[in-house]
């Protein structure tokens, strides 16, 4: 409710109260309500001059003090609830009381309560719905108005200095900024700036931030809208909003139109399984027509962002519409350090903080994750009453972001705690026993997240983009280390290895089906289900495109890879059983060990079985 409506309501309420007060002060004087029995006594006593009889009440006027036959100026009026009394008229005649009947006029009540109020209520509700659906506009005419959020020139305070870890993307977008600042520089040479730029990348990599930075650098108006903001339940509304958005942008050129999550609007067109008219396809068709219908020389640049480029309509991606595709990838270690420096500007850091170490500890995290990490560290330091954020706070924030919230209230039995300790040490000891495996950074049996009873954290020494067959086999071995440690120590197995087995199976199947690392199947790849490019969820499931005999060979090869890795890990951990038990006992006592402590406990021992295993592994490769 805005101020205007609020003030009108109070004005009306005050006027009603004032009218009620005036009526009570200056209305009919001397009006009293009496019972029917009292009324009959007054008639009997000859004190009533006249009576008006209506359907439900009697209005009796008292005789005046001067003239007993007429009501005087000071005479009072009495209201009496009517009681069915057949002798009333006879009594009034005997006492000489003037009386008359009055038919109650119900038209006003019927008109107001039967027509005016219901219709007025319907109009008010309809107006409210129109305002909500029309984005605050004037009723039905606002349906076709675009819901874009408009940032005027200078309102966008974000610049390229606020964006880190995406240097290649910034270089691509810098050309757009220079065109918006000096369009004649390009038109003079006959060049044409790309009409649209599509930014693709994983969630949280900074696509929206980059779009705002372009507008902030160019100092032009910025129209921001989500792809879902075009589509409504009413047919034709989305197309009308597209037309309205481009009309506004053309009037305010040069400017930038930014469509976030364009996959909600630009999904590939196909047959409508439900039949009828598809509002989303109409909206997409209008967008394609609008992008064809204006020239970039007018100074309108279209930016869009998505993490689902594989599902976009090909007509949207062709040259002349979204001419240039800009990849906003996950940052490397240098990019992560730069992002941490940007988000640490507003945070008071202690002298012991080394953001390079934090960047090395966070492979795979994107800008949004790193921003959350710095914020978590600041909150943790404030909670502990510190004056500055220390390295320990950042380390704990990394654990919280990557492994989940620490579950201090979850109490495990001694037996379960021992199983978890040997399981995690099995992972860590296997990792430290293999040459190509990433070094262990931390081992913990403190429950975290939704279901993790413990975790072993390994940190790569550098960013990796390729993996060899030896490295994949070593990764398989590390994943199976926990299960094998349970078998060796307890002679039994638990459900704690479920996630490890799932990941190991995925690696083995990928080695056989995708990477051509099976000697029996040779240099052949078998396409797996189509998956989103930047998301981890499955999509568009496909049937297999190979024979049942090949499927059986694939299953046997996958099974053989897992069995070989299992035997290999069993040999490693049996050869270092003393180190396994020693590290597990210390972990049970301390609950958390960092990498240096763990390596000190297990020692530099290398058994003969381990050396033989490594030599055999080299011979096989």
């Amino acid at each position: 409710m805005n101020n205007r409506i609020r003030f009108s309501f109070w004005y009306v309420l005050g006027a009603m109260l004032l009218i009620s007060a005036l009526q009570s002060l200056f209305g009919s004087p001397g009006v009293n309500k009496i019972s029917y029995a009292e009324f009959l006594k007054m008639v009997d006593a000859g004190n009533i001059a006249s009576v008006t009889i209506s359907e439900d009440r009697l209005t009796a006027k008292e005789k005046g003090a001067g003239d007993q036959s007429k009501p005087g100026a000071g005479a009072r009026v009495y209201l009496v609830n009517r009681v069915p009394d057949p002798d009333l008229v006879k009594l009034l005649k005997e006492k000489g009381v003037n009386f008359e009947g009055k038919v109650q006029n119900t038209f006003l009540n019927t008109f107001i309560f039967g027509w005016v109020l219901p219709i007025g209520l319907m109009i008010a509700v309809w107006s409210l719905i129109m305002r909500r659906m029309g984005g605050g506009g004037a009723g039905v005419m606002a349906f076709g108005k675009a819901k874009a959020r408009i940032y005027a020139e200078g309102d966008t305070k974000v610049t390229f200095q606020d964006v880190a870890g995406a240097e290649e993307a910034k270089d691509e977008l810098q050309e757009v900024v220079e065109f918006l600042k000096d369009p004649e520089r390009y038109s003079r040479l006959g060049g044409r700036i790309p009409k649209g730029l599509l930014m693709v990348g994983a969630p949280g990599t900074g696509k929206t931030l980059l779009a705002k930075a372009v507008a902030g650098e160019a100092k032009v108006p910025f129209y921001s809208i989500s792809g879902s903001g075009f589509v409504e339940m009413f047919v034709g509304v989305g197309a009308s909003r597209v037309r309205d958005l481009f009309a506004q942008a053309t009037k305010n050129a040069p400017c930038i139109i930014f469509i976030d999550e364009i996959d909600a609007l630009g999904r590939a067109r196909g047959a409508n399984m439900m039949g009828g008219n598809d509002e989303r396809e109409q909206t997409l068709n209008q967008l394609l027509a609008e992008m064809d219908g204006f020239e970039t020389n007018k100074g309108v640049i279209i930016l869009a962002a998505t993490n689902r480029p594989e599902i976009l309509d090909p007509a949207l991606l062709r040259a002349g519409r979204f001419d240039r595709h800009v990849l906003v990838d996950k940052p490397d270690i240098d990019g992560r350090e730069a992002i941490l420096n940007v988000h640490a500007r507003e945070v008071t850091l202690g002298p012991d903080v080394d953001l390079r170490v934090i960047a090395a500890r966070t492979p795979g995290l994107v800008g949004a994750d790193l921003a959350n990490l710095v914020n978590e560290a600041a909150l943790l330091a404030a909670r502990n009453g510190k004056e500055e954020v220390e390295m320990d706070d950042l380390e704990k924030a990394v654990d919280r972001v990557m492994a989940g919230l620490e579950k201090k209230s979850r109490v495990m039995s001694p037996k379960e705690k021992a199983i978890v300790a040997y399981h995690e040490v099995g992972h860590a000891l296997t990792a430290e026993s293999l040459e190509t495996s990433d070094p262990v950074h931390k081992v913990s049996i403190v429950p975290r997240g939704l279901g993790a009873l413990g975790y072993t954290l390994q940190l790569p020494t550098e960013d990796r983009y390729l993996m060899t067959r030896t490295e994949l086999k070593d990764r398989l071995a590390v994943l199976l280390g926990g299960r094998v440690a349970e078998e060796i120590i307890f002679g039994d197995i638990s459900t704690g290895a479920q996630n490890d087995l799932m990941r190991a199976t995925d690696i083995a199947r990928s080695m056989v089906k995708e990477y051509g690392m099976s000697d029996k199947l040779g240099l052949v790849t078998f396409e797996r289900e189509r998956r989103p490019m930047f998301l981890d969820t499955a999509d568009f499931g496909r049937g297999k495109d190979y024979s049942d005999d090949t499927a059986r060979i694939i299953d046997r090869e996958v099974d053989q890879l897992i069995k070989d890795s299992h035997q290999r890990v069993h040999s490693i951990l049996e050869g270092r059983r003393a180190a396994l038990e020693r590290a597990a006992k210390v972990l049970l006592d301390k609950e958390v060990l960092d990498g240096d402590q763990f390596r000190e406990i297990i020692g530099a021992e290398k058994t003969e079985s381990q050396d033989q295993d490594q030599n055999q592994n080299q011979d096989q490769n």
Side-chain angles (χ1 to χ4, degrees):
M1 180 181 292
N2 55 37
N3 292 336
R4 183 177 179 183
I5 297 176
R6 189 183 298 115
F7 288 151
S8 300
F9 170 76
W10 288 114
Y11 288 153
V12 172
L13 180 60
M16 293 174 62
L17 292 175
L18 180 60
I19 292 172
S20 299
L22 291 175
Q23 285 181 343
S24 62
L25 291 175
F26 304 105
S28 301
V31 177
N32 298 305
K33 194 169 183 180
I34 61 175
S35 65
Y36 189 74
E38 293 175 334
F39 166 70
L40 292 180
K41 290 180 180 179
M42 294 181 69
V43 173
D44 237 5
N47 295 331
I48 300 300
S50 64
V51 177
T52 301
I53 303 173
S54 61
E55 293 182 1
D56 57 350
R57 66 174 58 186
L58 304 173
T59 304
K61 293 183 180 180
E62 190 181 22
K63 290 183 178 179
D67 186 354
Q68 297 298 323
S69 63
K70 296 181 181 180
R76 289 181 294 182
V77 178
Y78 298 96
L79 295 180
V80 185
N81 290 332
R82 185 175 177 183
V83 176
D85 185 358
D87 298 329
L88 177 61
V89 176
K90 181 179 179 181
L91 176 62
L92 295 176
K93 287 182 178 180
E94 291 178 355
K95 299 299 181 179
V97 178
N98 295 325
F99 62 91
E100 62 179 351
K102 182 179 180 182
V103 178
Q104 187 174 359
N105 186 3
T106 60
F107 171 76
L108 190 60
N109 290 337
T110 304
F111 179 74
I112 293 177
F113 293 102
W115 292 92
V116 176
L117 286 181
I119 293 175
L121 184 60
M122 291 173 61
I123 293 174
V125 172
W126 178 255
S127 299
L128 180 61
I129 294 174
M130 292 299 103
R131 287 194 181 95
R132 292 290 176 88
M133 299 185 68
V140 179
M141 299 304 293
F143 270 136
K145 298 294 182 182
K147 292 184 175 181
R149 187 174 182 181
I150 304 173
Y151 298 88
E153 180 179 348
D155 286 351
T156 307
K157 305 297 182 181
V158 182
T159 64
F160 282 148
Q161 293 183 353
D162 301 311
V163 183
E167 301 305 320
E168 295 83 0
K170 286 198 291 187
D171 292 341
E172 292 283 334
L173 296 171
Q174 183 65 40
E175 197 171 55
V176 177
V177 174
E178 294 175 357
F179 168 76
L180 291 171
K181 287 183 176 179
D182 185 14
E184 295 182 0
R185 173 184 173 186
Y186 294 87
S187 59
R188 184 170 59 249
L189 299 176
R192 180 181 62 84
I193 200 71
K195 187 174 293 187
L197 286 89
L198 178 66
M199 294 182 288
V200 297
T205 50
K207 299 183 291 295
T208 304
L209 186 66
L210 274 169
K212 290 183 178 180
V214 171
E217 290 281 345
K219 293 182 171 55
V220 296
F222 182 72
Y223 292 81
S224 176
I225 188 171
S226 173
S228 60
F230 289 105
V231 183
E232 288 282 1
M233 61 182 290
F234 300 101
V235 176
V237 173
S240 176
R241 288 179 176 170
V242 172
R243 289 191 296 268
D244 179 70
L245 176 61
F246 277 82
Q248 292 183 48
T250 304
K251 291 179 182 178
N252 294 281
C255 66
I256 293 174
I257 296 176
F258 175 60
I259 306 175
D260 199 5
E261 305 296 345
I262 195 173
D263 48 276
L265 169 65
R267 187 184 292 265
R269 291 165 292 181
N272 189 359
M273 302 300 293
M274 300 300 294
N277 202 347
D278 192 340
E279 162 67 0
R280 185 185 55 79
E281 287 193 8
Q282 281 196 14
T283 307
L284 175 58
N285 291 336
Q286 186 63 45
L287 176 62
L288 298 176
E290 291 291 340
M291 293 186 70
D292 279 338
F294 78 97
E295 298 294 332
T296 53
N297 292 333
K298 294 181 180 179
V300 179
I301 301 295
I302 305 174
L303 299 180
T306 181
N307 47 42
R308 304 288 304 279
E310 70 279 355
I311 67 171
L312 294 180
D313 195 286
L316 196 63
L317 303 178
R318 72 161 176 80
R321 291 193 176 120
F322 283 105
D323 307 81
R324 184 174 296 179
H325 301 167
V326 179
L327 174 63
V328 187
D329 207 353
K330 292 182 177 180
D332 56 13
I333 184 171
D334 294 327
R336 293 193 297 274
E337 184 181 8
I339 293 172
L340 288 170
N341 280 311
V342 169
H343 294 296
R345 290 175 186 170
E346 306 298 327
V347 178
T348 305
L349 297 179
D352 63 332
V353 171
D354 187 352
L355 294 180
R356 183 73 178 184
V357 175
I358 301 300
R361 277 203 59 188
T362 52
L365 296 194
V366 296
D369 299 324
L370 296 172
N372 184 44
L373 187 152
V374 174
N375 184 62
E376 288 288 347
L379 294 177
L380 182 61
R383 192 180 306 129
N384 294 329
K386 297 181 180 180
E387 297 296 329
E388 54 191 13
V389 178
E390 300 173 354
M391 191 66 178
D392 181 62
D393 300 316
L394 287 167
E395 293 275 358
K396 291 180 179 178
V398 171
D399 293 337
R400 177 164 184 170
V401 170
M402 299 189 69
L405 179 65
E406 183 176 326
K407 300 290 185 181
K408 296 181 180 180
S409 60
R410 184 179 295 173
V411 179
M412 292 188 293
S413 66
K415 181 180 179 180
E416 286 183 333
K417 199 171 182 180
I419 293 174
V420 174
Y422 280 98
H423 182 104
E424 298 303 332
V425 171
H427 286 307
L429 187 57
T430 305
E432 287 296 322
S433 302
L434 301 174
E435 290 185 357
T436 66
S437 180
D438 295 326
V440 174
H441 181 77
K442 181 178 288 188
V443 185
S444 171
I445 57 172
V446 177
R448 285 184 177 272
L450 296 177
L453 299 178
Y455 68 96
T456 300
L457 180 62
Q458 296 174 257
L459 291 184
T461 55
E462 58 185 358
D463 290 318
R464 303 293 304 276
Y465 304 100
L466 292 174
M467 295 196 72
T468 65
R469 179 162 59 179
T470 300
E471 291 169 339
L472 288 172
K473 287 184 176 180
D474 286 351
R475 184 162 291 189
L476 274 176
V478 174
L479 288 171
L480 297 177
R483 167 60 68 88
V484 175
E486 293 181 22
E487 295 174 0
I488 292 174
I489 300 299
F490 301 101
D492 200 358
I493 56 178
S494 70
T495 59
Q498 186 266 341
N499 183 256
D500 299 330
L501 297 178
M502 181 178 66
R503 292 162 59 193
T505 304
D506 286 342
I507 291 175
R509 192 167 292 276
S510 295
M511 290 175 67
V512 174
K513 292 181 63 178
E514 294 184 68
Y515 307 143
M517 294 181 178
S518 168
D519 295 332
K520 289 186 178 181
L521 292 171
L523 305 179
V524 181
T525 180
F526 302 93
E527 187 176 352
R528 58 188 299 177
E529 297 83 1
R530 185 180 178 189
R531 295 178 182 272
M533 190 178 302
F534 298 106
L535 302 179
D536 295 331
T537 56
D539 192 35
F540 298 113
R542 291 183 55 177
K544 62 183 181 181
D545 51 2
Y546 44 86
S547 67
D548 291 339
D549 290 338
T550 302
R552 279 191 287 271
I553 296 176
I554 290 174
D555 291 339
R556 284 197 294 268
E557 287 291 280
V558 171
D559 182 61
Q560 190 62 44
L561 275 173
I562 300 294
K563 286 182 178 178
D564 291 344
S565 296
H566 181 270
Q567 293 175 359
R568 180 186 180 196
V569 176
H570 200 280
S571 175
I572 292 173
L573 294 185
E574 277 286 8
R576 306 191 71 178
R577 180 164 182 167
L580 173 66
E581 295 182 352
R582 185 165 62 249
K585 290 178 181 178
V586 177
L587 183 61
L588 279 169
D589 181 46
K590 293 187 175 182
E591 293 190 336
V592 178
L593 294 174
D594 62 31
D596 294 335
Q597 291 174 328
F598 179 76
R599 280 182 283 273
E600 183 180 353
I601 293 170
I602 64 174
E605 62 181 74
K606 286 217 174 189
T607 62
E608 293 181 2
S609 62
Q610 182 186 354
D611 292 334
Q612 292 174 1
D613 177 77
Q614 290 182 354
N615 293 332
Q616 290 175 1
N617 186 48
Q618 291 175 359
D619 294 339
Q620 290 175 0
N621 293 305

